[in-house]
Short mmCIF file of all heavy atoms in Angstrom, two decimals:
data_model
loop_
_atom_site.label_atom_id
_atom_site.label_comp_id
_atom_site.label_asym_id
_atom_site.label_seq_id
_atom_site.Cartn_x
_atom_site.Cartn_y
_atom_site.Cartn_z
N GLN A 1 11.80 -46.07 79.05
CA GLN A 1 11.14 -44.88 79.70
C GLN A 1 11.55 -43.63 78.99
O GLN A 1 10.68 -42.79 78.67
CB GLN A 1 11.48 -44.83 81.13
CG GLN A 1 10.78 -45.82 82.07
CD GLN A 1 11.19 -45.67 83.43
OE1 GLN A 1 12.25 -45.28 83.76
NE2 GLN A 1 10.21 -46.04 84.38
N LEU A 2 12.82 -43.52 78.65
CA LEU A 2 13.27 -42.34 77.96
C LEU A 2 12.63 -42.22 76.61
O LEU A 2 12.21 -41.13 76.22
CB LEU A 2 14.86 -42.37 77.84
CG LEU A 2 15.51 -41.22 77.07
CD1 LEU A 2 15.24 -39.95 77.77
CD2 LEU A 2 16.95 -41.53 76.85
N ILE A 3 12.60 -43.28 75.88
CA ILE A 3 11.95 -43.25 74.52
C ILE A 3 10.42 -42.83 74.67
O ILE A 3 10.01 -42.00 73.90
CB ILE A 3 12.06 -44.66 73.86
CG1 ILE A 3 13.56 -44.84 73.47
CG2 ILE A 3 11.15 -44.71 72.64
CD1 ILE A 3 13.85 -46.27 72.95
N GLN A 4 9.76 -43.37 75.64
CA GLN A 4 8.36 -43.00 75.82
C GLN A 4 8.20 -41.54 76.14
O GLN A 4 7.33 -40.84 75.65
CB GLN A 4 7.67 -43.90 76.89
CG GLN A 4 6.20 -43.66 77.00
CD GLN A 4 5.51 -43.94 75.64
OE1 GLN A 4 5.70 -44.98 75.04
NE2 GLN A 4 4.59 -43.03 75.28
N THR A 5 9.10 -41.02 76.97
CA THR A 5 9.10 -39.67 77.32
C THR A 5 9.30 -38.78 76.15
O THR A 5 8.66 -37.76 75.95
CB THR A 5 10.05 -39.33 78.49
OG1 THR A 5 9.85 -40.15 79.60
CG2 THR A 5 10.10 -37.91 78.91
N LEU A 6 10.33 -39.21 75.32
CA LEU A 6 10.60 -38.31 74.13
C LEU A 6 9.42 -38.47 73.16
O LEU A 6 9.14 -37.42 72.49
CB LEU A 6 11.86 -38.89 73.50
CG LEU A 6 13.13 -38.63 74.29
CD1 LEU A 6 14.36 -39.36 73.63
CD2 LEU A 6 13.44 -37.15 74.34
N ARG A 7 8.79 -39.58 73.01
CA ARG A 7 7.61 -39.70 72.15
C ARG A 7 6.45 -38.83 72.64
O ARG A 7 5.82 -38.14 71.82
CB ARG A 7 7.16 -41.18 72.13
CG ARG A 7 7.98 -42.03 71.18
CD ARG A 7 7.38 -43.44 71.11
NE ARG A 7 8.25 -44.22 70.20
CZ ARG A 7 8.37 -45.50 70.33
NH1 ARG A 7 7.63 -46.24 71.20
NH2 ARG A 7 9.14 -46.18 69.49
N ASP A 8 6.23 -38.82 73.93
CA ASP A 8 5.24 -37.90 74.53
C ASP A 8 5.54 -36.40 74.22
O ASP A 8 4.65 -35.65 73.89
CB ASP A 8 5.10 -38.06 76.06
CG ASP A 8 4.53 -39.49 76.41
OD1 ASP A 8 3.99 -40.14 75.46
OD2 ASP A 8 4.64 -39.87 77.57
N GLU A 9 6.81 -36.10 74.46
CA GLU A 9 7.20 -34.73 74.18
C GLU A 9 7.08 -34.39 72.68
O GLU A 9 6.63 -33.24 72.34
CB GLU A 9 8.73 -34.59 74.56
CG GLU A 9 9.22 -33.13 74.57
CD GLU A 9 10.68 -33.03 75.06
OE1 GLU A 9 11.05 -33.85 75.97
OE2 GLU A 9 11.33 -32.16 74.63
N GLU A 10 7.50 -35.25 71.88
CA GLU A 10 7.28 -35.11 70.36
C GLU A 10 5.80 -34.89 70.07
O GLU A 10 5.49 -33.94 69.35
CB GLU A 10 7.79 -36.33 69.57
CG GLU A 10 7.60 -36.19 68.08
CD GLU A 10 7.92 -37.49 67.35
OE1 GLU A 10 7.81 -38.58 68.04
OE2 GLU A 10 8.23 -37.38 66.18
N GLN A 11 4.90 -35.68 70.67
CA GLN A 11 3.45 -35.48 70.39
C GLN A 11 3.02 -34.13 70.87
O GLN A 11 2.25 -33.52 70.12
CB GLN A 11 2.69 -36.64 71.13
CG GLN A 11 1.19 -36.49 70.99
CD GLN A 11 0.79 -36.77 69.55
OE1 GLN A 11 1.36 -37.55 68.81
NE2 GLN A 11 -0.35 -36.15 69.18
N GLN A 12 3.49 -33.76 72.04
CA GLN A 12 3.13 -32.36 72.56
C GLN A 12 3.61 -31.27 71.58
O GLN A 12 2.85 -30.33 71.31
CB GLN A 12 3.63 -32.18 73.97
CG GLN A 12 3.20 -30.89 74.62
CD GLN A 12 1.74 -30.79 74.75
OE1 GLN A 12 1.07 -31.75 75.22
NE2 GLN A 12 1.14 -29.62 74.35
N LEU A 13 4.80 -31.39 71.16
CA LEU A 13 5.40 -30.38 70.25
C LEU A 13 4.65 -30.38 68.92
O LEU A 13 4.40 -29.35 68.36
CB LEU A 13 6.90 -30.65 69.98
CG LEU A 13 7.80 -30.37 71.22
CD1 LEU A 13 9.26 -30.86 70.97
CD2 LEU A 13 7.78 -28.87 71.53
N THR A 14 4.30 -31.60 68.40
CA THR A 14 3.52 -31.64 67.18
C THR A 14 2.13 -30.95 67.36
O THR A 14 1.76 -30.17 66.43
CB THR A 14 3.30 -33.12 66.77
OG1 THR A 14 4.59 -33.76 66.60
CG2 THR A 14 2.57 -33.22 65.47
N GLU A 15 1.50 -31.12 68.46
CA GLU A 15 0.31 -30.49 68.78
C GLU A 15 0.43 -28.98 68.89
O GLU A 15 -0.36 -28.22 68.35
CB GLU A 15 -0.31 -31.09 69.97
CG GLU A 15 -0.93 -32.48 69.87
CD GLU A 15 -1.34 -33.06 71.19
OE1 GLU A 15 -1.35 -32.31 72.24
OE2 GLU A 15 -1.67 -34.21 71.23
N ASP A 16 1.54 -28.61 69.46
CA ASP A 16 1.81 -27.13 69.65
C ASP A 16 2.06 -26.53 68.28
O ASP A 16 1.66 -25.40 67.97
CB ASP A 16 3.01 -26.92 70.55
CG ASP A 16 2.81 -27.18 72.03
OD1 ASP A 16 1.55 -27.37 72.37
OD2 ASP A 16 3.74 -27.33 72.81
N ILE A 17 2.84 -27.20 67.38
CA ILE A 17 3.12 -26.71 66.07
C ILE A 17 1.80 -26.60 65.27
O ILE A 17 1.56 -25.59 64.54
CB ILE A 17 4.14 -27.68 65.35
CG1 ILE A 17 5.55 -27.48 65.98
CG2 ILE A 17 4.06 -27.34 63.83
CD1 ILE A 17 6.51 -28.50 65.52
N GLN A 18 0.94 -27.55 65.32
CA GLN A 18 -0.32 -27.56 64.67
C GLN A 18 -1.22 -26.44 65.17
O GLN A 18 -1.76 -25.67 64.35
CB GLN A 18 -1.08 -28.90 64.75
CG GLN A 18 -2.27 -28.95 63.86
CD GLN A 18 -1.95 -28.83 62.40
OE1 GLN A 18 -0.98 -29.44 61.96
NE2 GLN A 18 -2.76 -28.02 61.74
N SER A 19 -1.15 -26.20 66.51
CA SER A 19 -1.92 -25.11 67.05
C SER A 19 -1.39 -23.75 66.55
O SER A 19 -2.15 -22.79 66.23
CB SER A 19 -1.86 -25.18 68.54
OG SER A 19 -2.45 -24.05 69.18
N ALA A 20 -0.05 -23.62 66.51
CA ALA A 20 0.57 -22.39 66.02
C ALA A 20 0.26 -22.18 64.53
O ALA A 20 -0.05 -21.01 64.08
CB ALA A 20 2.12 -22.46 66.18
N LYS A 21 0.24 -23.23 63.72
CA LYS A 21 -0.14 -23.12 62.31
C LYS A 21 -1.56 -22.63 62.17
O LYS A 21 -1.80 -21.81 61.32
CB LYS A 21 0.03 -24.49 61.57
CG LYS A 21 1.54 -24.77 61.29
CD LYS A 21 1.56 -26.15 60.45
CE LYS A 21 3.04 -26.49 60.14
NZ LYS A 21 3.06 -27.80 59.53
N ASN A 22 -2.48 -23.20 62.98
CA ASN A 22 -3.88 -22.82 62.94
C ASN A 22 -3.97 -21.31 63.36
O ASN A 22 -4.76 -20.57 62.74
CB ASN A 22 -4.73 -23.66 63.84
CG ASN A 22 -4.86 -25.08 63.36
OD1 ASN A 22 -4.63 -25.36 62.21
ND2 ASN A 22 -5.22 -25.95 64.24
N SER A 23 -3.27 -20.94 64.32
CA SER A 23 -3.26 -19.50 64.78
C SER A 23 -2.82 -18.63 63.61
O SER A 23 -3.34 -17.54 63.32
CB SER A 23 -2.48 -19.31 66.05
OG SER A 23 -3.06 -19.91 67.08
N ILE A 24 -1.69 -18.97 62.98
CA ILE A 24 -1.07 -18.21 61.92
C ILE A 24 -2.09 -18.10 60.72
O ILE A 24 -2.31 -17.02 60.21
CB ILE A 24 0.28 -18.88 61.36
CG1 ILE A 24 1.28 -18.69 62.43
CG2 ILE A 24 0.59 -18.31 60.08
CD1 ILE A 24 2.54 -19.46 62.18
N ASN A 25 -2.75 -19.16 60.41
CA ASN A 25 -3.77 -19.17 59.32
C ASN A 25 -4.91 -18.25 59.69
O ASN A 25 -5.40 -17.45 58.82
CB ASN A 25 -4.24 -20.60 59.09
CG ASN A 25 -3.28 -21.47 58.27
OD1 ASN A 25 -2.35 -20.89 57.66
ND2 ASN A 25 -3.41 -22.75 58.43
N GLU A 26 -5.34 -18.34 60.96
CA GLU A 26 -6.47 -17.46 61.42
C GLU A 26 -6.05 -16.02 61.33
O GLU A 26 -6.78 -15.11 60.91
CB GLU A 26 -6.91 -17.96 62.83
CG GLU A 26 -8.05 -17.27 63.32
CD GLU A 26 -8.46 -17.77 64.71
OE1 GLU A 26 -8.45 -18.92 64.94
OE2 GLU A 26 -8.73 -16.86 65.58
N LEU A 27 -4.82 -15.73 61.84
CA LEU A 27 -4.37 -14.31 61.85
C LEU A 27 -4.13 -13.79 60.42
O LEU A 27 -4.43 -12.66 60.17
CB LEU A 27 -3.07 -14.22 62.64
CG LEU A 27 -3.23 -14.37 64.16
CD1 LEU A 27 -1.84 -14.47 64.86
CD2 LEU A 27 -4.08 -13.26 64.76
N GLU A 28 -3.65 -14.66 59.47
CA GLU A 28 -3.50 -14.27 58.17
C GLU A 28 -4.81 -13.89 57.48
O GLU A 28 -5.00 -13.00 56.72
CB GLU A 28 -2.78 -15.35 57.33
CG GLU A 28 -1.28 -15.32 57.55
CD GLU A 28 -0.53 -16.50 56.83
OE1 GLU A 28 -1.18 -17.38 56.24
OE2 GLU A 28 0.65 -16.39 56.77
N SER A 29 -5.83 -14.84 57.83
CA SER A 29 -7.17 -14.60 57.38
C SER A 29 -7.70 -13.23 57.86
O SER A 29 -8.29 -12.45 57.08
CB SER A 29 -8.06 -15.71 57.73
OG SER A 29 -9.37 -15.50 57.35
N LYS A 30 -7.55 -12.92 59.10
CA LYS A 30 -7.98 -11.68 59.65
C LYS A 30 -7.26 -10.47 59.05
O LYS A 30 -7.82 -9.46 58.80
CB LYS A 30 -7.78 -11.67 61.20
CG LYS A 30 -8.75 -12.47 61.99
CD LYS A 30 -8.56 -12.41 63.42
CE LYS A 30 -9.60 -13.25 64.18
NZ LYS A 30 -9.34 -13.16 65.64
N LEU A 31 -5.97 -10.73 58.83
CA LEU A 31 -5.09 -9.67 58.20
C LEU A 31 -5.62 -9.33 56.79
O LEU A 31 -5.70 -8.21 56.43
CB LEU A 31 -3.62 -10.07 58.17
CG LEU A 31 -2.64 -9.06 57.63
CD1 LEU A 31 -2.67 -7.79 58.49
CD2 LEU A 31 -1.27 -9.71 57.51
N HIS A 32 -5.92 -10.40 56.05
CA HIS A 32 -6.43 -10.17 54.70
C HIS A 32 -7.77 -9.41 54.79
O HIS A 32 -7.98 -8.51 53.98
CB HIS A 32 -6.68 -11.54 54.04
CG HIS A 32 -5.88 -11.92 52.90
ND1 HIS A 32 -5.02 -11.01 52.29
CD2 HIS A 32 -5.74 -13.12 52.20
CE1 HIS A 32 -4.49 -11.64 51.25
NE2 HIS A 32 -4.84 -12.88 51.20
N PHE A 33 -8.54 -9.85 55.72
CA PHE A 33 -9.90 -9.21 55.86
C PHE A 33 -9.71 -7.72 56.22
O PHE A 33 -10.28 -6.81 55.61
CB PHE A 33 -10.73 -9.86 56.84
CG PHE A 33 -11.95 -9.14 57.24
CD1 PHE A 33 -13.08 -9.20 56.36
CD2 PHE A 33 -12.04 -8.36 58.43
CE1 PHE A 33 -14.25 -8.47 56.69
CE2 PHE A 33 -13.20 -7.73 58.70
CZ PHE A 33 -14.35 -7.71 57.86
N LEU A 34 -8.77 -7.46 57.15
CA LEU A 34 -8.49 -6.09 57.56
C LEU A 34 -7.89 -5.21 56.43
O LEU A 34 -8.27 -4.08 56.26
CB LEU A 34 -7.62 -6.04 58.82
CG LEU A 34 -8.25 -6.56 60.13
CD1 LEU A 34 -7.26 -6.64 61.22
CD2 LEU A 34 -9.42 -5.62 60.54
N LYS A 35 -6.93 -5.86 55.67
CA LYS A 35 -6.39 -5.14 54.54
C LYS A 35 -7.43 -4.74 53.55
O LYS A 35 -7.46 -3.64 53.09
CB LYS A 35 -5.31 -5.95 53.94
CG LYS A 35 -3.95 -5.98 54.57
CD LYS A 35 -2.97 -6.77 53.79
CE LYS A 35 -1.57 -6.81 54.45
NZ LYS A 35 -0.62 -7.65 53.65
#
């Protein structure tokens, strides 16, 4: 159960990291455009 919980948490963190990377890329693109 602990391993499954940790895997679920890892999956959620991976998704959060990917979402943050996408946001960073989008913001960098906007920053480039604004500059």
Side-chain angles (χ1 to χ4, degrees):
Q1 284 179 331
L2 176 63
I3 290 170
Q4 186 58 46
T5 302
L6 290 172
R7 284 183 181 156
D8 293 344
E9 188 176 331
E10 177 189 24
Q11 179 66 33
Q12 184 61 47
L13 289 172
T14 302
E15 290 173 6
D16 290 347
I17 290 170
Q18 189 59 44
S19 176
K21 284 181 180 179
N22 291 340
S23 294
I24 290 170
N25 288 336
E26 187 179 313
L27 290 171
E28 283 178 346
S29 177
K30 285 182 181 179
L31 181 64
H32 246 351
F33 173 77
L34 290 174
K35 279 183 180 180

